[in-house]
Amino acid sequence: MNKTLLSFGHGYSARALAARLVPQGWTIYGTTRKEARFAALEGEGITPVLWPDGDLSTAFESASHLLISAGPDAGGDPILTRFRDRIVDMAPRLEWAGYLSTTGVYGDHQGGWVDEATPLTPSTRRGQMRVDAEGDWRSVPGLPLHIFRLAGIYGPGRGPFEKVRQGTARRIIKPGQVFSRIHVEDIAQVLEASIKRPDPGAIYNLCDDDPAPPQDVIGHAAKLLGLPLPPEVDFETAEMSPMARSFYAESKRVSNDRIKDELGVKLIYPDYRRGLEALLRAGG
């Protein structure tokens, strides 16, 4: 049976998944806001559809799987706002649906551990919007929904090397601050494993084994490049955008036991050191 994925918000993580599925014969429709991206997506074997006004009728009719990577906005989840009725209609015949959320839904735990059973207590507006969006997707009757809560994403084109090379990187110091992170290839392998082993209603944290202070990651990138350590800057006095500062409002360590125990995943990059070393070998 032909497998067809309708991918809303076909960006960084979705493209990594598609790179695994297309060679297996999958048909993938991916939405994008920019027509200029069409050629690149077509080169990856994707049928691009312009969001929000492109023609998705064929994709809706043929999809066996659904992936939602687009985030919510002030008006709620943009996909459900526009296409709830279509999604309700298609839900019973879908084999799998995945929603990419964030570990920001757990809020601040002052460096403590969280897992999928931890109550959702977001401390930012973005986190609360994600909690609301998760609930909206769970409310679609008959949808075989899987929720993936992603830690900080890095990978090709999203590593710290360029800023270190340019001398613009800083080691922001906030005592006790730790973040979890995940390489995009590990996101892709978890999604593929879930597709092969559907468990509607399941929630998974996607992160590596080594929550770490952000300054350690920058420091290791500099070490790999053979460059001096970027300067330390105190968080309280650092010049940062409101968006960047908001990430430091939460500190937690995220457990990834479930992706290992239930999906049999073995991480490709179980810590940032191996992830950064691989990025550098591939050209940084």
Side-chain angles (χ1 to χ4, degrees):
M1 178 179 176
N2 181 52
K3 304 292 187 182
T4 300
L5 175 68
L6 172 52
S7 173
F8 281 108
H10 193 75
Y12 192 64
S13 299
R15 290 172 79 171
L17 172 63
R20 290 170 167 259
L21 299 184
V22 168
Q24 299 177 41
W26 282 67
T27 298
I28 299 180
Y29 295 88
T31 70
T32 177
R33 292 182 179 274
K34 297 183 179 180
E35 201 164 352
R37 293 178 179 163
F38 275 30
L41 293 176
E42 289 169 345
E44 296 168 7
I46 309 303
T47 301
V49 183
L50 193 64
W51 175 265
D53 297 321
D55 183 4
L56 282 163
S57 56
T58 301
F60 274 121
E61 292 166 4
S62 59
S64 57
H65 295 69
L66 178 68
L67 178 66
I68 306 97
S69 306
D73 55 31
D77 184 274
I79 315 307
L80 289 176
T81 297
R82 191 172 183 86
F83 291 121
R84 177 179 286 272
D85 289 345
R86 297 291 300 268
I87 290 168
V88 168
D89 287 344
M90 74 189 301
R93 61 176 172 79
L94 288 174
E95 298 177 29
W96 178 93
Y99 179 74
L100 303 192
S101 185
T102 168
T103 56
V105 297
Y106 297 117
D108 180 33
H109 286 263
Q110 300 180 339
W113 284 95
V114 301
D115 61 21
E116 290 87 351
T118 299
L120 306 186
T121 55
S123 56
T124 66
R125 174 161 169 73
R126 287 195 320 278
Q128 184 59 56
M129 289 165 61
R130 284 290 188 177
V131 171
D132 295 342
E134 286 188 12
D136 287 344
W137 279 100
R138 281 198 296 265
S139 74
V140 177
L143 186 69
L145 183 67
H146 306 71
I147 293 174
F148 303 91
R149 294 175 178 156
L150 278 55
I153 304 170
Y154 74 101
R158 289 197 182 183
F161 294 115
E162 194 57 33
K163 285 186 176 181
V164 175
R165 289 189 181 102
Q166 292 173 352
T168 59
R170 299 172 298 166
R171 289 182 295 145
I172 306 295
I173 306 299
K174 184 180 181 184
Q177 185 74 35
V178 290
F179 293 132
S180 291
R181 50 193 57 78
I182 182 78
H183 192 289
V184 69
E185 287 301 325
D186 279 318
I187 295 173
Q189 75 147 330
V190 171
L191 295 177
E192 183 182 20
S194 174
I195 287 170
K196 291 179 177 178
R197 193 182 297 180
D199 183 17
I203 299 172
Y204 302 101
N205 290 332
L206 272 61
C207 57
D208 67 20
D209 297 335
D210 188 20
Q215 65 268 23
D216 290 5
V217 179
I218 295 295
H220 189 67
K223 179 181 178 181
L224 291 174
L225 292 170
L227 295 174
L229 282 176
E232 289 189 357
V233 180
D234 184 83
F235 170 76
E236 298 300 333
T237 57
E239 292 185 9
M240 303 170 70
S241 70
M243 175 71 79
R245 187 167 288 276
S246 72
F247 286 114
Y248 283 78
E250 300 177 349
S251 176
K252 55 184 166 285
R253 291 172 167 85
V254 182
S255 169
N256 61 14
D257 288 347
R258 184 171 288 179
I259 61 172
K260 299 173 181 176
D261 297 343
E262 296 186 9
L263 296 177
V265 166
K266 181 178 180 180
L267 292 171
I268 304 167
Y269 303 108
D271 58 65
Y272 70 85
R273 290 170 292 276
R274 277 175 275 192
L276 291 183
E277 288 159 12
L279 285 183
L280 191 59
R281 286 196 301 269

